[in-house]
Amino acid sequence: MKVSSGNRGDAVRSDCYIELWDEGGVTNQVFLKSKVKALYGKSIETLCLEMLEFFELQGVSVNIEDSGALPFVIAARLEAAIKQFNSIEKSFLFEKLPENDYPIAPNRLRRSRLYVPGNNPKMMINAGIYGSDAVILDLEDAVHPAKKAEAAILVRNALCQVNFYSAERMVRINQVPEGLNDLEYIVPFGVHTIVIPKCESPDDILFVEQRIRKITGKAGAVHLIPIIESALGVENAFEIAVSSENIVAMAIGLEDYTADIGAQRTEAGNESFFARSRVINAARAVGIQPLDSVFSGFEDVEALSKTAQNAKALGFEGLGCIHPGQIKIVNESFSPSEKEIEKAKKIVFAFFQAEKEGKGVVAVDSKMVDAPVVKRAQKTIENAIVFGLLNQNWMESYGNELG
Ligand code: COA
Ligand code: MG
């Protein structure tokens, strides 16, 4: 029997294609075709032979067509081939990078989240350098059904070995119940947040949490973000949002949603206005972040900017990205503008002064300012401080400025 895994071809980079077959006898053999054979041939061969021994194989031959794969990629491809060849439970694990050992607060910024196909090592390796708030390694729609098993192993190894800088490490599993089996590949390996697609009822969350508890032995080990992508999901949005304390945000997925209600997705977005508002309202009612869908036209910068502005105006705190070129625009769109910050400063300061004089309401620029307006302005100020756009002690200097 001959099995294979990985990718080959002119366009393939940082990956490899592996064939494995039974040759008989007791020795294992590795045949390598690589441009970097002179430099790394020996170490690639050693890694492969070590793995074959680890998986207790004998008399096996391995053919590798290498396109510049890192060791964690070669190991993932070989493990995937071995697991097709033999049903073995063991896993060949890499150490976790100490650089990736940073916590993610539940309410941290999630303006931009970059989707990266879970079977594409080249895109994974650089995913953290573009400055998105989160990176989503995708095991669902961005992976061909025939490649799901090898993607899970690759994502596991990437979580351990790729430096994601300060991005939140998210993985989108497959739809529950199939997606529950993805969890063992990601939960123990430093994932911050699990994205649950096509979420339709609180049971989906419950099953994910049960499986996580089985894996880690405790509750609350990871954050969760359900994606609402169907008519039923929209109807149940609040019940889903409130179903677990580990849910930190809720997203909407408009491609699937519009298909589900039998509408076309348009730029104006009238067809999804109700669903988006419903998701925002449900999320806000529970105190979690509402996140908008992805914007797929990655070359249309103007439309992206408009979409992000509209999303922010509706109440969303972030937008999904599929291409690194989208990140800067999305981050900027969801950060407070200079004008917003100036206005917020005025309001908070005026209210602070009014409070000192024992007043509950005050006028700023001939508009009434009361508690809810102040609350919003305070949120803008908080964000501006987080983004480094405002100093923690701004009020003091502002007061001095006004004299
Ligand atoms: N994550 C990380 N890197 C990405 C990326 C992504 N989502 N999309 C593109 N890149 C990289 C490319 O690898 C390329 O890198 P290089 O300059 O080092 O060679 C660079 O950004 C420019 O890419 P470009 O040539 O413009 O695009 P492409 O043709 O390689 O890819 C897509 C276009 C749409 C196929 C790709 O962006 C993609 O797969 N996006 C994610 C899709 C997805 O996950 N969908 C499911 C969720 S909705
Ligand atoms: Mg989808």
Side-chain angles (χ1 to χ4, degrees):
M1 181 175 70
K2 197 178 215 174
V3 295
S4 66
S5 75
N7 295 295
R8 61 179 161 184
D10 291 342
V12 173
R13 303 270 180 284
S14 310
D15 204 345
C16 67
Y17 181 77
I18 288 190
E19 289 172 320
L20 184 147
W21 68 97
D22 201 351
E23 192 68 61
V26 288
T27 36
N28 294 322
Q29 283 184 294
V30 176
F31 305 99
L32 173 67
K33 210 170 91 185
S34 172
K35 281 193 184 135
V36 295
K37 190 166 175 174
L39 220 54
Y40 299 110
K42 197 76 212 146
S43 67
I44 293 174
E45 196 183 319
T46 307
L47 170 67
C48 292
L49 289 173
E50 192 191 321
M51 284 184 68
L52 294 174
E53 202 183 316
F54 174 84
F55 286 105
E56 296 161 38
L57 293 174
Q58 280 187 342
V60 154
S61 287
V62 176
N63 216 353
I64 306 178
E65 279 178 54
D66 172 47
S67 315
L70 289 168
F72 83 84
V73 177
I74 296 175
R77 298 320 192 186
L78 184 54
E79 183 171 332
I82 289 170
K83 285 184 169 166
Q84 290 174 58
F85 189 75
N86 256 352
S87 53
I88 299 178
E89 287 282 322
K90 282 211 267 190
S91 303
F92 188 85
L93 300 179
F94 284 77
E95 304 251 309
K96 284 190 221 164
L97 286 186
E99 296 91 306
N100 274 341
D101 192 14
Y102 45 87
I104 293 289
N107 63 349
R108 92 132 195 184
L109 292 173
R110 296 187 177 88
R111 296 166 300 177
S112 55
R113 48 196 206 283
L114 177 65
Y115 275 93
V116 185
N119 206 32
N120 188 325
K122 180 192 175 279
M123 287 188 187
M124 281 176 194
I125 290 163
N126 288 329
I129 66 175
Y130 304 109
S132 59
D133 292 326
V135 165
I136 307 181
L137 303 175
D138 187 20
L139 293 173
E140 200 218 4
D141 285 350
V143 179
H144 190 279
K147 295 285 194 178
K148 297 273 185 191
E150 53 185 86
I153 297 173
L154 182 68
V155 164
R156 181 197 71 201
N157 285 9
L159 284 171
C160 296
Q161 288 280 296
V162 174
N163 187 345
F164 290 97
Y165 300 93
S166 52
E168 179 170 357
R169 292 187 297 277
M170 301 184 177
V171 175
R172 180 164 75 171
I173 60 173
N174 285 287
Q175 187 178 10
V176 175
E178 294 79 26
L180 296 175
N181 296 327
D182 295 331
L183 293 170
E184 66 188 273
Y185 290 91
I186 56 177
V187 170
F189 303 103
V191 70
H192 292 123
T193 305
I194 290 160
V195 179
I196 305 162
K198 302 187 175 79
C199 197
E200 299 208 300
S201 91
D203 281 349
D204 292 339
I205 306 291
L206 189 83
F207 293 143
V208 168
E209 295 221 293
Q210 274 173 352
R211 187 64 72 90
I212 292 174
R213 216 172 303 127
K214 207 170 138 197
I215 295 168
T216 63
K218 58 176 191 247
V222 276
H223 302 317
L224 305 176
I225 300 184
I227 315 182
I228 304 297
E229 312 188 64
S230 64
L232 183 58
V234 169
E235 290 300 322
N236 289 334
F238 177 74
E239 280 72 25
I240 293 168
V242 82
S243 68
S244 162
E245 285 184 352
N246 300 314
I247 300 178
V248 292
M250 186 153 77
I252 185 156
L254 288 180
E255 293 301 339
D256 284 285
Y257 173 73
T258 46
D260 196 40
I261 61 163
Q264 291 289 337
R265 197 173 166 189
T266 64
E267 207 177 306
N270 291 340
E271 69 288 346
S272 62
F273 178 71
F274 166 74
R276 284 183 294 155
S277 300
R278 171 99 176 110
V279 164
I280 292 164
N281 204 76
R284 293 297 183 196
V286 180
I288 59 171
Q289 297 165 346
L291 303 175
D292 204 358
S293 192
V294 294
F295 184 80
S296 8
F298 61 89
E299 276 170 351
D300 194 343
V301 174
E302 238 168 73
L304 171 66
S305 179
K306 222 159 103 189
T307 300
Q309 297 293 343
N310 286 342
K312 183 182 170 182
L314 266 187
F316 283 116
E317 290 200 17
L319 188 76
C321 300
I322 55 151
H323 192 280
Q326 299 180 314
I327 294 167
K328 188 164 176 278
I329 296 168
V330 170
N331 281 350
E332 279 171 7
S333 301
F334 287 95
S335 306
S337 68
E338 234 171 82
K339 220 168 124 191
E340 285 170 316
I341 297 170
E342 276 316 302
K343 192 173 156 202
K345 276 159 74 176
K346 242 185 190 175
I347 291 169
V348 173
F349 190 78
F351 198 74
F352 175 75
Q353 294 294 83
E355 248 187 349
K356 276 207 290 197
E357 293 159 23
K359 290 189 249 169
V361 190
V362 63
V364 172
D365 293 341
S366 33
K367 282 217 181 87
M368 180 191 79
V369 169
D370 57 3
V373 178
V374 177
K375 199 171 147 196
R376 191 175 330 133
Q378 270 165 336
K379 179 81 190 153
T380 303
I381 300 270
E382 269 169 37
N383 279 342
I385 292 170
V386 174
F387 296 130
L389 300 170
L390 201 59
N391 189 300
Q392 193 89 40
N393 305 318
W394 66 274
M395 206 185 283
E396 206 174 300
S397 47
Y398 192 72
N400 291 340
E401 233 171 80
L402 296 180

